[in-house]
Amino acid sequence: VDRIETFDDVKKSFDDLFLVAQVKRIHPELKHLRVLYMLASRCDRRFTPGEAVDIDIVTDFIGSLGFQSISIVKPHSEATMRNMPNAYVEDYTSNLISIVRGDIGWDDSVVFIAPDKGAKTWIDTLGVKPILYGEKKRDPVTGTVAGVQIVGLEKWKEQVHFIIVDDLCDGGATFTTIAKEIKLTSPQAKVYLVVTHAIMSKGLKPFEGLIDRIYCTNSYATFNDPLIKQLDIQ
């Protein structure tokens, strides 16, 4: 191999980390690593006292491989970047929103939904308005999460299009819960989901009748289903 400078990798298991290390050892001329989906991205804090923070272990390992630069497609949190000073973010959220715009068109009939205040903070940087956000509803006896309430949703009950935006979708329970609340408030509403990483660990059936279309990249997987429209970034 004369000139290989970039290595793209999807991180779904620790085997992928060792594959990257093997490739870098065989081809030391590799300069750039592009991470399409970061393994352990959601394990960005200690969930119980004394346990390791998985994302720190993963990023320490990647950082030790000697790449000159590392790009990461929409990491779940800033914790992903803290051990890799030579890393930067690739964010395709605006691209996905533009695809939705081309498909449905919109004016003042569109409302954006952030699943929580944290997601709203970065969605605010995209320049889209208005943005509502969700708050977890907890059982008053057990304290467990019993649902998600969209703050201020009742003011927008005449709206037609609602776009839920987040970085990833795993099982989808948060998004289907939000969609149920939207459609109870606005029975005529169309609900779209925009996420960078589509894992869909429970398949697509939970979204039927609730999410009208899903827009995502193929960072994690490729789907052949009319419910999903994907932006090819590989």
Side-chain angles (χ1 to χ4, degrees), residues 87-223:
Y88 61 91
V89 173
E90 293 182 34
D91 191 345
Y92 294 92
T93 308
S94 293
N95 305 71
L96 291 166
I97 290 173
S98 293
I99 294 172
V100 182
R101 183 192 298 271
D103 283 355
I104 68 173
W106 69 62
D107 43 32
D108 293 335
S109 65
V110 172
V111 174
F112 289 86
I113 306 288
D116 51 49
K117 283 187 178 180
K120 183 181 183 299
T121 298
W122 70 265
I123 297 169
D124 274 331
T125 67
L126 303 175
V128 296
K129 300 290 181 182
I131 306 170
L132 308 182
Y133 64 90
E135 287 186 342
K136 293 178 180 178
K137 295 187 290 186
R138 295 185 179 274
D139 186 294
V141 177
T142 65
T144 57
V145 176
V148 179
Q149 178 181 3
I150 305 302
V151 178
L153 180 61
E154 66 281 355
K155 297 179 182 179
W156 302 92
K157 61 183 179 181
E158 301 302 323
Q159 301 304 107
V160 176
H161 301 296
F162 291 82
I163 302 175
I164 306 170
V165 182
D166 207 356
D167 62 313
L168 65 85
C169 176
D170 190 344
T174 296
F175 305 123
T176 55
T177 299
I178 291 172
K180 287 176 184 177
E181 183 174 350
I182 291 171
K183 296 206 172 190
L184 281 174
T185 304
S186 307
Q188 79 286 358
K190 298 288 186 180
V191 181
Y192 309 95
L193 174 62
V194 170
V195 291
T196 300
H197 309 292
I199 300 172
M200 308 307 186
S201 58
K202 295 184 179 179
L204 299 179
K205 191 171 182 59
F207 302 96
E208 292 178 3
L210 295 170
I211 303 293
D212 292 275
R213 201 162 200 196
I214 299 168
Y215 294 81
C216 60
T217 74
N218 61 346
S219 62
Y220 190 88
T222 299
F223 297 89

Side-chain angles (χ1 to χ4, degrees), residues 58-103:
V58 171
T59 55
D60 278 347
F61 182 87
I62 293 174
S64 72
L65 297 178
F67 288 97
Q68 292 181 16
S69 62
I70 302 166
S71 61
I72 303 171
V73 176
K74 194 65 185 81
H76 182 62
S77 74
E78 293 181 0
T80 304
M81 315 299 288
R82 64 189 171 205
N83 295 327
M84 298 185 295
N86 60 336
Y88 61 91
V89 173
E90 293 182 34
D91 191 345
Y92 294 92
T93 308
S94 293
N95 305 71
L96 291 166
I97 290 173
S98 293
I99 294 172
V100 182
R101 183 192 298 271
D103 283 355

